């Protein structure tokens, strides 16, 4: 379709936002005046405004959140703004394309704003036939239930439909593989100058969404709310410390599994010890730049108890006081548990710290009741001092 | 893809405007306003509501289907486009189908096939497909329509040719297609193609 490439199709252009709507029907997002029917929608999407800085993989990963991406290309012939590229993305299912388009249109991506539109002109005849058939089935399923509830008559809308219904419903699942074959054989919607990527891996199948778990085949990937972009539980940060990378670096004594996993109100961020500041930049693995000297002020401000020893990376001092000997034991325990060889987790350290603190509290209680100075143990406090002497061993 | 009743109730809240009431106010605005762009906006809004079957009861109650049918004869091309889009969205439901067929929808939709607007024509073809029943099939697959589809099939616009191909292959008998082909080689009176983008 070289002709279609020379002139940008109308439905690829972004229409002007309607500004004159009265307040009662002004939606949350600004939209143009446009009607979407089954003809406008398609499994094929055109993504414009992608910065030309080698972000193919990231882009496809983002799109793959909403459903399996079958194929994707960069359209070099497509008229695009300077330093941007146009991508062609093909989804397995129309519903996934719908959600992806809704969520990722006007999305800020690596400094550029994406403009996502449907591209039904890339469909084959079979694609179109299947799309219409799916729409039929959907409406039939939705309205059949209603009719049965309301009128208590079995609605057999199939009998009115022409013979196409039998062929499309049977072929919905079976023509999927043949689509790919047919597409590669005969149909050439993309100009031959399009750069194909033989070395690129297949689009990532980020299977956070497992169709088998859902009862209805028409379920779509769920996001937290209508304004949400990412599925529930998806970590969208660009670089996160992974346990593998941290374990491989023995200097990382406290690798967090996931920063989002809160170790409780008693702990701030798990910062590595100060002696690692030498190799803070890990460009090779793409990890975060480590700044052990930085502690967020919120951590400091919110801290009502003193930080546990060793928290800021200072070396632990030998304390003569028996009370602190206990803490040292505890800290050794803490350090032991935080050794990467044993596969520590932040939760162990929390539990240890909590236990330690509880002991401190109980100790101060017993000590204050018996009097700090009376180490010999007077008669009144013999019972409690027994406890304390026991602890001091 | 579609809304459920619980979702709508949750979104409305306790003191909010319900779906039926909201649609009612849209219809009222459409009938009362004089401004063309307000009419366009409301019609487009209603056509998008017609995508979701949960609204069909309300739309039937408010005679929105008639509103769409009436808009097909408007002079404003955008009103025609939105009207046929709305019909395309709701034509698959059995009751809606009966209503459209009973009110002479087939002829109105066939008229839309000669529009200059690409989207209007595409939606018209799809609406004809969705409206096909054993009773309406002869009217929908009449000779002039099949001839028109044959011409669409040869168009460079792949959306148009795909839809025309699906129509001819799945909704017309071979005999009808043959008759139309023979008629075409003779006489060229018929429905014109929509305007296509100029090639540079």
């Amino acid at each position: 379709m070289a002709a279609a490439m020379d002139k940008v199709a109308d439905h690829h252009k972004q229409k002007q936002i309607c500004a004159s709507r009265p307040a009662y029907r002004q939606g949350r997002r600004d939209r143009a005046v446009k009607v979407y029917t089954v003809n406008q929608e398609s499994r094929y999407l055109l993504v414009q405004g992608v910065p030309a800085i080698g972000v193919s993989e990231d882009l496809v990963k983002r799109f793959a959140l909403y459903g399996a991406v079958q194929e994707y290309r960069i359209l070099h012939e497509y008229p695009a703004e300077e330093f941007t590229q146009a991508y062609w993305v093909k989804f397995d299912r129309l519903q996934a394309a719908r959600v992806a388009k809704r969520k990722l249109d006007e999305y800020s991506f690596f400094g550029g704003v994406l403009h996502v539109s449907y591209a039904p002109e890339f469909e084959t005849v079979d694609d179109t036939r299947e799309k219409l058939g799916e729409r039929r089935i959907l409406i039939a399923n939705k309205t059949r239930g209603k009719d049965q509830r309301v009128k208590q008559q079995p609605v057999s809308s199939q009998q009115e439909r022409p013979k196409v219904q039998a062929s499309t419903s049977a072929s919905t699942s079976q023509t999927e593989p043949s689509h790919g074959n047919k597409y590669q054989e005969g149909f050439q919607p993309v100009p031959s100058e399009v750069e194909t990527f033989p070395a690129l891996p297949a689009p990532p199948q980020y299977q956070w969404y497992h169709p088998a778990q859902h009862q209805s085949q028409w379920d779509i990937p769920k996001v937290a709310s209508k304004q949400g972009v990412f599925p529930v539980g998806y970590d969208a940060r660009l670089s996160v410390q992974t346990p593998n990378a941290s374990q491989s670096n023995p200097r990382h004594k406290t690798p967090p599994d996931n920063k989002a996993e809160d170790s409780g109100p008693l702990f701030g961020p798990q910062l590595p010890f100060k002696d690692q500041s030498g190799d803070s930049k890990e460009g090779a693995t793409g990890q975060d730049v480590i700044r052990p000297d930085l502690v967020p002020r919120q951590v400091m401000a919110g801290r009502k108890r003193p930080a546990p020893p060793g928290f800021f990376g200072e070396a632990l001092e030998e304390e003569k006081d028996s009370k602190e000997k206990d803490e040292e034991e505890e800290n050794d325990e803490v350090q032991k548990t935080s050794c990467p060889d044993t596969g520590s987790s932040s939760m162990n350290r929390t539990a240890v710290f909590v236990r330690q603190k509880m002991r401190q509290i109980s100790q101060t209680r017993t000590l204050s009741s018996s009097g700090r100075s009376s180490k010999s143990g007077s008669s009144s406090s013999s019972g409690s001092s027994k406890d304390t002497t026991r602890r001091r061993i | 893809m579609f809304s459920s009743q619980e979702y709508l109730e949750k979104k409305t809240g306790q003191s909010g405007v319900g779906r039926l009431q909201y649609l009612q106010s849209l219809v009222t605005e459409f009938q009362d306003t004089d401004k063309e762009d307000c009419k366009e906006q409301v019609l487009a809004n209603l056509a998008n509501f017609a995508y979701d079957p949960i609204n069909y009861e309300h739309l039937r109650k408010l005679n929105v289907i008639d509103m769409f049918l009436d808009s097909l004869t408007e002079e404003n091309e955008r009103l025609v486009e939105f009207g046929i889009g709305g019909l395309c969205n709701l034509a698959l439901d059995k009751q809606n189908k009966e209503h459209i067929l009973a009110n002479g929808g087939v002829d109105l939709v066939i008229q839309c096939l000669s529009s200059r607007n690409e989207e209007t024509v595409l939606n018209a073809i799809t609406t004809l497909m969705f409206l096909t029943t054993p009773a309406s099939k002869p009217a929908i697959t009449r000779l002039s329509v099949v001839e028109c589809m044959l011409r669409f099939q040869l168009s460079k616009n792949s959306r148009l040719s795909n839809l025309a191909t699906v129509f001819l292959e799945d909704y017309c008998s071979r005999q009808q297609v043959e008759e139309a082909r023979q008629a075409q080689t003779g006489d060229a009176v018929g429905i014109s193609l929509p305007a296509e983008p100029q090639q540079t």
Side-chain angles (χ1 to χ4, degrees):
Chain A
M1 294 292 292
M5 284 298 143
D6 292 338
K7 167 114 182 169
V8 173
D10 271 342
H11 60 275
H12 293 174
K13 292 185 196 142
Q14 210 167 25
K15 286 190 180 167
Q16 235 186 358
I17 287 171
C18 176
S20 58
R21 284 201 174 99
Y24 86 95
R25 54 183 173 88
Q26 176 67 41
R28 286 188 192 97
R29 281 180 79 172
D30 290 328
R31 296 182 195 274
V33 182
K34 206 169 173 186
V35 170
Y36 283 95
T37 67
V38 67
N39 291 322
Q40 276 74 37
E41 297 174 341
S42 173
R43 295 193 293 155
Y44 299 81
L45 293 182
L46 185 77
V47 188
Q48 298 172 60
V50 185
I53 48 176
V55 291
S56 284
E57 271 200 48
D58 294 285
L59 182 79
V60 178
K61 268 189 214 165
R62 191 52 51 83
F63 273 85
L65 281 181
Y66 304 101
V69 173
Q70 248 183 38
E71 217 183 310
Y72 66 98
R73 294 173 192 227
I74 299 179
L75 300 178
H76 295 281
E77 294 294 309
Y78 198 87
E81 276 180 25
E82 219 182 350
F83 307 122
T84 66
Q85 284 172 325
Y87 278 72
W88 170 92
V89 180
K90 178 181 178 186
F91 276 89
D92 252 350
R93 297 177 66 200
L94 175 71
Q95 291 90 318
R98 277 187 92 226
V99 181
K101 190 250 181 195
R102 197 169 79 234
K103 297 294 179 187
L104 294 175
D105 196 19
E106 300 289 297
Y107 177 71
S108 176
F109 184 77
F110 282 93
V113 177
L114 298 181
H115 168 43
V116 185
S117 48
Y118 296 110
E121 63 273 15
F122 292 108
E123 287 177 354
T124 63
V125 178
D126 286 331
D127 284 336
T128 312
R129 184 177 283 136
E130 183 196 336
K131 187 175 72 169
L132 297 176
E134 274 182 17
R135 172 83 181 153
R136 270 189 191 275
I137 297 169
L138 263 167
I139 299 294
N141 288 341
K142 288 271 168 184
T143 50
R144 180 182 303 133
K146 279 192 184 163
D147 281 344
Q148 278 178 346
R149 277 197 305 275
V150 173
K151 292 185 180 174
Q152 291 175 348
Q153 291 173 21
V155 175
S156 49
S157 38
Q158 277 126 2
Q159 68 197 8
E160 289 188 6
R161 279 187 239 120
K163 61 183 187 291
V164 68
Q165 182 52 35
S167 55
T168 51
S169 56
S171 65
T172 325
S173 50
Q174 285 154 14
T175 46
E176 282 293 327
S178 66
H179 278 173
N181 297 339
K182 265 194 181 173
Y183 175 77
Q184 265 125 36
E185 281 168 18
F187 187 67
Q188 280 198 349
V190 183
S192 49
E193 294 89 81
V194 163
E195 179 186 332
T196 50
F197 298 92
L200 278 179
Q205 307 286 323
Y206 186 84
Q207 287 297 343
W208 65 273
Y209 165 64
H210 297 282
Q213 293 171 6
H214 295 263
Q215 290 179 3
S216 161
Q217 60 168 319
W218 305 112
D219 267 345
I220 53 160
K222 296 281 193 297
V223 292
S225 74
K226 211 164 188 200
Q227 285 72 40
V229 177
F230 301 117
V232 175
Y234 175 71
D235 185 4
R237 285 171 295 195
L238 288 176
S239 58
V240 178
Q241 278 187 1
T242 57
N244 293 334
S246 312
Q247 279 169 14
S248 66
N249 186 345
R251 293 203 219 169
H252 282 248
K253 291 213 174 179
T254 56
D257 292 335
N258 187 345
K259 280 184 204 161
E261 201 180 306
D262 209 349
S263 43
L266 304 171
F267 264 87
Q270 301 283 336
L271 296 173
F273 293 107
K274 261 189 183 163
D275 58 0
Q276 300 162 41
S277 53
D279 72 332
S280 54
K281 294 224 186 242
E282 300 200 28
T285 52
Q287 295 288 308
D288 288 323
V289 172
I290 300 158
R291 289 284 306 279
D293 51 314
L294 279 184
V295 179
R297 57 178 168 77
Q298 291 86 348
V299 171
M300 301 310 299
R303 192 167 288 288
K304 295 195 170 68
R305 301 179 186 82
F311 182 77
F312 295 110
E314 69 272 14
L316 295 169
E317 289 148 355
E318 299 284 327
E319 292 285 347
K320 299 271 162 62
D321 191 8
S322 52
K323 184 173 162 192
E324 272 141 354
K325 262 188 207 156
D326 280 336
E327 289 182 359
E328 207 182 3
E329 285 169 14
E330 294 300 311
N331 287 325
D332 286 340
E333 197 181 305
V334 161
Q335 286 186 21
K336 230 195 277 178
T337 56
S338 60
C339 173
D341 296 310
T342 56
S344 74
S345 73
S346 50
M347 290 311 285
N348 286 344
R349 198 173 159 144
T350 309
V352 164
F353 179 63
V354 168
R355 277 201 296 273
Q356 175 192 331
K357 279 295 160 191
M358 295 305 290
R359 283 186 197 130
Q360 281 179 11
I361 291 165
S362 60
Q363 278 173 25
T364 46
R365 277 207 202 118
T366 51
L367 280 172
S368 59
S369 64
S370 60
R372 274 190 83 109
S373 51
S374 59
K375 286 189 183 176
S376 56
S378 56
S379 56
S380 59
S381 61
S382 55
S384 47
S385 66
K386 266 187 195 165
D387 293 342
T388 52
T389 44
R390 179 168 57 81
R391 295 232 6 88
R392 281 169 196 169
I393 289 166
Chain B
M1 170 109 83
F2 302 123
S3 313
S4 69
Q5 194 57 41
E6 308 103 49
Y7 170 77
L8 287 183
E9 280 161 19
K10 200 174 76 171
K11 217 167 69 139
T12 314
Q14 281 182 350
S15 58
V17 177
R19 182 52 64 91
L20 177 61
Q21 204 179 339
Y22 184 75
L23 292 173
Q24 169 78 65
S25 45
L26 284 179
V27 173
T28 317
E29 186 184 346
F30 184 83
Q31 287 163 347
D32 294 345
T33 188
D34 295 325
K35 288 191 262 184
E36 275 302 301
D37 47 345
C38 271
K39 285 198 180 223
E40 287 173 13
Q41 289 161 20
V42 171
L43 201 63
N45 207 351
L46 288 168
N48 283 323
F49 272 118
Y51 189 92
D52 190 344
I54 202 172
N55 302 312
Y56 285 172
E57 273 302 322
H58 305 317
L59 294 173
R60 280 193 286 264
K61 228 182 269 181
L62 297 168
N63 295 325
V64 170
I65 309 181
D66 295 322
M67 196 189 292
F68 289 147
L69 288 169
D70 289 336
S71 71
L72 297 183
T73 49
E74 291 273 345
E75 283 173 3
N76 187 342
E77 270 187 15
R78 279 161 68 82
L79 287 178
V80 177
E81 181 188 340
F82 299 151
I84 190 71
L87 287 175
C88 178
N89 275 336
L90 45 74
L92 273 173
D93 175 71
K94 191 165 167 249
Q95 287 184 33
N96 298 345
K97 212 187 295 198
E98 288 168 2
H99 185 105
I100 298 172
L101 294 172
N103 289 298
V106 173
D107 293 320
L108 288 168
V109 173
I110 290 176
Q111 276 181 30
C112 289
L113 287 174
S114 48
S115 165
R116 293 181 302 162
N117 186 322
E118 179 193 7
E119 304 290 341
T120 307
V121 176
L122 295 169
N123 287 333
I125 302 177
T126 318
T127 315
L128 284 178
M129 286 198 253
F130 291 162
L131 288 174
T132 310
T133 64
S136 65
K137 201 163 173 202
I140 287 177
T141 56
R142 68 177 76 136
L143 191 62
S144 54
V145 174
V146 182
E147 280 180 12
C148 173
M149 293 297 169
L150 281 170
R151 281 207 308 283
F152 286 163
Q153 203 180 20
L154 304 170
S155 159
K156 286 205 191 82
N157 186 336
S158 65
R159 292 168 76 187
L160 197 55
S161 69
N162 286 350
L163 278 176
T165 311
V166 174
F167 184 92
L168 290 169
E169 286 177 4
D170 299 347
Y171 293 81
C172 305
S173 65
R174 262 199 211 150
Q175 192 194 4
Q176 284 171 315
V177 178
E178 270 310 306
E179 281 177 12
R181 275 221 177 91
Q182 286 175 8
Q184 256 194 346
T185 48
D187 195 35
V189 174
I191 307 167
S192 59
L193 291 169
E196 286 168 30
Q198 298 294 321
Q199 296 187 26
T200 50

